[in-house]
């Protein structure tokens, strides 16, 4: 199944570390050429050099802040002008903020929402249209297990990821018969920079359910290649997501707060 993408191009946002860098490595191992997008050019260059040397694929770097107004359009225009057709879009860029909503810095909160929601929707719109015109393509959206319940202390982040899940499942349904699919992956805690960026100390729940980044990426890409609508990597995470749907909303919210509380 992986040979279907050999020689094609994937665009990966948030590719400078964590899941994004592992998406680049695993796609490159399939023979896929990669366009790597993030803010930290030095880290992007390091990932690009690694996949070129290890897997012999082409790797291009575009340093770009997707939270800035019009950034997805500028990225799309640049790739179009270069004649680069994107066959796989990995919307991985994003981050979370931990803490009480009224105490979080609004500028940082706004930046998070711009990347986690607005940029993702715009990127999906731009590249999905190209794929539909070619009658072929894969889109993988990175959501979170937090999408399945309100999550105090990650209120805006989990709400944003819920938006990503519902938006993406709806678009996947709309695209039936076009040759284009949208898969949403909803990971639990993973060994990335997420907690450090969010400003949270690791909790007992996160230690218990923590997955290795390459495992999350492998499961997610397999689901994408099978054109599944959504996936929750990890058996314990999948059970938690299923359980949340059965509980009264108030109880699931209280449980989410308890599992996210650092002390």
């Amino acid at each position: 199944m992986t040979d279907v993408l050999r020689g094609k191009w994937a665009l990966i946002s948030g590719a400078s570390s964590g899941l994004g860098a592992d998406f680049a490595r695993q796609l490159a191992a399939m023979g896929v050429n990669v366009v790597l997008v993030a803010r930290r050019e030095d880290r992007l260059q390091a990932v690009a050099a690694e996949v070129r040397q290890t897997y012999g694929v082409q790797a291009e770097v575009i340093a770009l802040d997707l939270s800035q107004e019009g950034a997805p359009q500028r990225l799309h225009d640049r790739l179009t002008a270069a004649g680069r057709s994107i066959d796989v879009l990995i919307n991985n860029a994003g981050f979370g903020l931990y803490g009480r909503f009224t105490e979080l810095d609004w500028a940082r909160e706004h930046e998070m929402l711009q990347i986690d929601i607005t940029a993702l929707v715009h990127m999906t719109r731009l590249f999905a249209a190209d794929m539909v015109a070619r009658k072929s393509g894969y889109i993988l959206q990175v959501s979170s297990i937090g999408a399945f319940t309100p999550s105090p202390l990650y209120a805006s982040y989990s709400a944003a990821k819920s938006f990503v899940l519902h938006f993406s499942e709806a678009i996947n349904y709309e695209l039936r018969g076009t040759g284009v699919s949208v898969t949403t992956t909803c990971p639990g805690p993973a060994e990335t920079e997420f907690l450090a960026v969010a400003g949270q100390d690791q909790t007992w729940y996160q230690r218990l359910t923590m997955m290795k980044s390459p495992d999350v990426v492998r499961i997610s890409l397999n689901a994408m290649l099978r054109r599944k609508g959504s996936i929750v990597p990890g058996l314990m995470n999948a059970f938690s997501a299923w359980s949340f749907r059965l509980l009264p909303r108030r109880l699931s919210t209280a449980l989410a707060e308890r599992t996210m509380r650092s002390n």
Side-chain angles (χ1 to χ4, degrees):
M1 183 180 291
T2 59
D3 286 342
V4 71
L5 295 179
R6 185 171 299 278
K8 296 185 181 296
W9 282 88
L11 169 61
I12 307 164
S13 68
S16 59
S17 65
L19 297 178
D22 283 321
F23 277 122
R25 295 182 184 105
Q26 293 191 27
L27 285 166
M30 299 177 194
V32 181
N33 303 311
V34 293
V35 178
L36 309 178
V37 179
R39 286 180 283 197
R40 298 177 291 188
E41 184 171 7
D42 56 336
R43 293 204 182 186
L44 288 176
Q45 294 290 359
V47 175
E50 176 189 345
V51 299
R52 289 188 199 109
Q53 181 176 359
T54 305
Y55 303 107
V57 300
Q58 298 180 65
E60 297 180 1
V61 165
I62 300 178
L64 185 67
D65 182 354
L66 288 172
S67 72
Q68 297 300 308
E69 185 69 29
Q73 186 69 61
R74 292 194 298 274
L75 173 61
H76 182 264
D77 291 347
R78 176 171 172 174
L79 292 171
T80 300
R84 186 71 65 230
S85 294
I86 299 300
D87 301 287
V88 179
L89 171 63
I90 311 289
N91 268 320
N92 170 72
F95 65 93
L97 290 175
Y98 174 79
R100 294 185 178 278
F101 173 71
T102 55
E103 298 172 3
L104 293 173
D105 177 71
W106 170 245
R108 187 70 168 148
E109 186 102 352
H110 184 258
E111 180 185 13
M112 180 191 74
L113 295 173
Q114 284 291 109
I115 294 177
D116 291 5
I117 296 178
T118 306
L120 179 141
V121 172
H122 199 182
M123 293 274 283
T124 302
R125 173 64 181 83
L126 292 167
F127 290 97
D130 293 342
M131 293 176 183
V132 169
R134 296 193 302 270
K135 300 181 180 180
S136 176
Y138 297 86
I139 297 173
L140 179 61
Q141 317 278 47
V142 179
S143 181
S144 165
I145 194 173
F148 294 98
T149 187
S151 301
L153 304 177
Y154 276 109
S156 295
Y157 172 75
S158 69
K161 292 304 185 179
S162 181
F163 172 91
V164 170
L165 175 61
H166 293 154
F167 162 76
S168 301
E169 288 187 332
I171 299 306
N172 183 54
Y173 193 86
E174 287 185 18
L175 292 175
R176 291 173 304 157
T178 66
V180 182
S181 56
V182 181
T183 299
T184 308
T185 183
C186 302
E191 293 178 354
T192 68
E193 297 176 348
F194 178 87
L195 293 178
V197 173
Q200 183 187 18
D201 294 329
Q202 197 175 98
T203 69
W204 64 270
Y205 169 79
Q206 290 160 340
R207 287 191 295 271
L208 181 65
T209 59
M210 187 70 66
M211 293 182 67
K212 295 185 180 299
S213 174
D215 292 337
V216 173
V217 166
R218 174 180 50 80
I219 293 167
S220 302
L221 288 176
N222 285 340
M224 181 194 78
L225 289 169
R226 296 197 306 271
R227 298 192 185 276
K228 292 191 66 173
S230 61
I231 185 75
V232 180
L235 289 176
M236 185 173 292
N237 293 324
F239 177 76
S240 295
W242 176 79
S243 299
F244 278 135
R245 291 176 171 178
L246 301 179
L247 295 173
R249 184 65 61 88
R250 184 176 177 82
L251 178 56
S252 67
T253 301
L255 287 174
E257 191 274 341
R258 184 66 188 89
T259 57
M260 289 298 102
R261 196 190 311 158
S262 293
N263 50 44

